[in-house]
Amino acid sequence: MKIAGFDIGGANTDLAVVDFDEKGNITSIKTDFRYLPMWSRKDELSLTLLELLGDDIDDIDAVGVSMTAELADNYQNKSEGVRDISRMVMDTFNLPVAFVSLQGMVNYETVLKEPLELAAANWIATAPLAAYMAPDCIFIDTGSTTTDIIPIKNGTECAKGRTDLQRLVTGELVYTGTLRTNVATIVDKVPLKDEWVRTASELFAVTADVHLVLGNITREDYTSETPDGSGNSREDALLRLSRVVCGDLDLLSEDDVIQMARYIHQKQVEQVAEALEQVHQRENLELVITTGLGMNVIGRKAAELLGLPVRTMEDILTTEDCVVAPAVGTALLMHQFTESGKIMSL
């Protein structure tokens, strides 16, 4: 059986195609993703889903979907977003389809009745992967835009917050990521030579620029739009970062910009560590398991800053699969849902 798992985010749509043998064992995993800003190009979702699948579409037995794109600001509320996204998915596939909710996988009929149960619930799909590695842990998933910090006890997620709003309070969601976070939301001052310089509160540079300059990501990883619409070379990123202090590469040297970038990176790690400490103290959990594009450069470093033991999902998945872990988890949940027979209620 071959299952497609999609994670439809506000900026990226991720895919995992997981092949299972007759005993339910995984025989292969293939992953991919596309940059698709849902706030401006949501009408391209159906085509994007089909393009991601490519030739695999003829072999797919069922489709599972998780989402966070309902938060896109072209929707008036989350219910509208969930219903619109799920409708587009249903219109795309003539296959069994189910969706990740806070209660597990649900069919389309349930989505229409209880749309808020699906809002930003993709971490529900990732939790079982972390629980497989350790029944008692905190898993951190740092993607392009956000960081989830989810406690797991006795093999089951035990997050206190169920909505994004609640999770921002409980420390289980930090709105910072590897690519798309505005640098001005992380720092209001940066070190420059022997002085502290206030930053400009503009969208001059994003965290992708920071991590590219520091060598934490590659140009291929820089999949989001650049703030100035120019390229994603290292030189481009250096220039954007120089503008954070109203400078340019005539006024600042490369070493100056790197000094700034290192400080911004450290402050981003500290933001995640502060939330991780909140969850760690409340739940009395020690082991941290990280995944996502920022698993090593943000999640791992946050755990290390607190002196907590840490592993990455690279222990069970490839590095590429870790980047789209919620899509992998969605495919696994969809397989279980299909095998349970509940899919027949669609």
Side-chain angles (χ1 to χ4, degrees):
M1 176 175 285
K2 187 172 286 190
I3 305 292
F6 288 102
D7 180 32
I8 303 172
N12 292 298
T13 293
D14 300 335
L15 166 69
V17 176
V18 182
D19 212 344
F20 300 87
D21 64 20
E22 62 276 4
K23 295 181 179 180
N25 299 312
I26 297 172
T27 58
S28 69
I29 300 176
K30 185 169 75 173
T31 58
D32 202 354
F33 65 92
R34 291 286 187 279
Y35 176 67
L36 179 66
M38 288 288 285
W39 58 87
S40 61
R41 291 164 46 194
K42 72 181 183 70
D43 292 342
E44 299 176 29
L45 177 60
S46 179
L47 178 61
T48 299
L49 299 178
L50 294 173
E51 286 181 344
L52 279 168
L53 277 174
D55 294 338
D56 283 326
I57 184 65
D58 296 328
D59 300 322
I60 296 298
D61 296 295
V63 174
V65 177
S66 60
M67 69 180 77
T68 60
E70 76 287 336
L71 188 59
D73 54 17
N74 55 326
Y75 294 123
Q76 292 299 306
N77 54 58
K78 293 181 177 64
S79 293
E80 176 191 340
V82 168
R83 289 191 175 106
D84 186 50
I85 294 163
S86 58
R87 175 192 57 77
M88 288 189 282
V89 170
M90 296 302 295
D91 289 345
T92 302
F93 297 109
N94 186 25
L95 290 165
V97 179
F99 300 83
V100 175
S101 80
L102 294 174
Q103 308 306 319
M105 300 300 292
V106 298
N107 58 34
Y108 184 54
E109 182 180 53
T110 302
V111 172
L112 297 179
K113 292 177 181 176
E114 302 174 351
L116 290 180
E117 289 291 300
L118 278 74
N122 66 341
W123 54 273
I124 292 288
T126 320
L129 293 173
Y132 174 79
M133 294 178 62
D136 299 290
C137 65
I138 301 172
F139 95 76
I140 302 179
D141 183 356
T142 302
S144 65
T145 310
T146 60
T147 297
D148 293 311
I149 304 175
I150 306 300
I152 295 174
K153 288 183 177 179
N154 300 317
T156 304
E157 63 82 14
C158 56
K160 298 301 182 187
R162 309 312 286 178
T163 67
D164 279 353
L165 177 58
Q166 293 169 347
R167 293 168 61 229
L168 287 168
V169 173
T170 61
E172 293 158 350
L173 175 63
V174 185
Y175 229 89
T176 194
T178 317
L179 302 181
R180 298 186 57 247
T181 306
N182 185 348
V183 165
T185 67
I186 300 174
V187 293
D188 57 11
K189 291 181 181 178
V190 293
L192 189 58
K193 296 184 173 65
D194 296 325
E195 298 180 307
W196 287 94
V197 182
R198 291 176 178 81
T199 56
S201 183
E202 295 281 357
L203 183 55
F204 281 139
V206 291
T207 44
D209 297 312
V210 172
H211 295 297
L212 183 68
V213 163
L214 295 178
N216 294 335
I217 64 170
T218 65
R219 289 186 67 177
E220 289 71 28
D221 294 324
Y222 198 144
T223 56
S224 57
E225 295 174 356
T226 60
D228 58 359
S230 65
N232 63 0
S233 70
R234 190 168 186 274
E235 180 95 358
D236 293 324
L238 286 165
L239 177 56
R240 284 191 288 271
L241 285 169
S242 73
R243 293 187 183 124
V244 171
V245 289
C246 302
D248 55 41
L249 296 183
D250 290 332
L251 294 172
L252 302 179
S253 69
E254 180 175 330
D255 287 345
D256 292 334
V257 179
I258 290 174
Q259 180 187 14
M260 291 168 44
R262 286 174 177 157
Y263 179 76
I264 295 164
H265 180 201
Q266 178 62 26
K267 299 307 287 185
Q268 184 180 34
V269 169
E270 289 174 8
Q271 284 184 345
V272 173
E274 185 270 337
L276 173 58
E277 176 73 0
Q278 182 180 352
V279 176
H280 160 63
Q281 291 291 342
R282 185 184 70 229
E283 302 295 341
N284 195 29
L285 292 166
E286 296 287 327
L287 177 63
V288 174
I289 293 175
T290 67
T291 194
L293 181 59
M295 62 184 164
N296 285 308
V297 299
I298 299 173
R300 175 187 281 277
K301 289 189 177 298
E304 291 173 345
L305 185 64
L306 298 177
L308 297 175
V310 58
R311 297 167 58 191
T312 76
M313 278 192 186
E314 291 167 306
D315 289 353
I316 61 170
L317 300 174
T318 68
T319 301
E320 292 75 20
D321 294 346
C322 287
V323 173
V324 297
V328 177
T330 296
L332 299 183
L333 289 180
M334 186 61 191
H335 179 256
Q336 296 172 5
F337 191 67
T338 302
E339 291 294 288
S340 73
K342 293 179 181 178
I343 196 70
M344 300 307 294
S345 62
L346 281 170

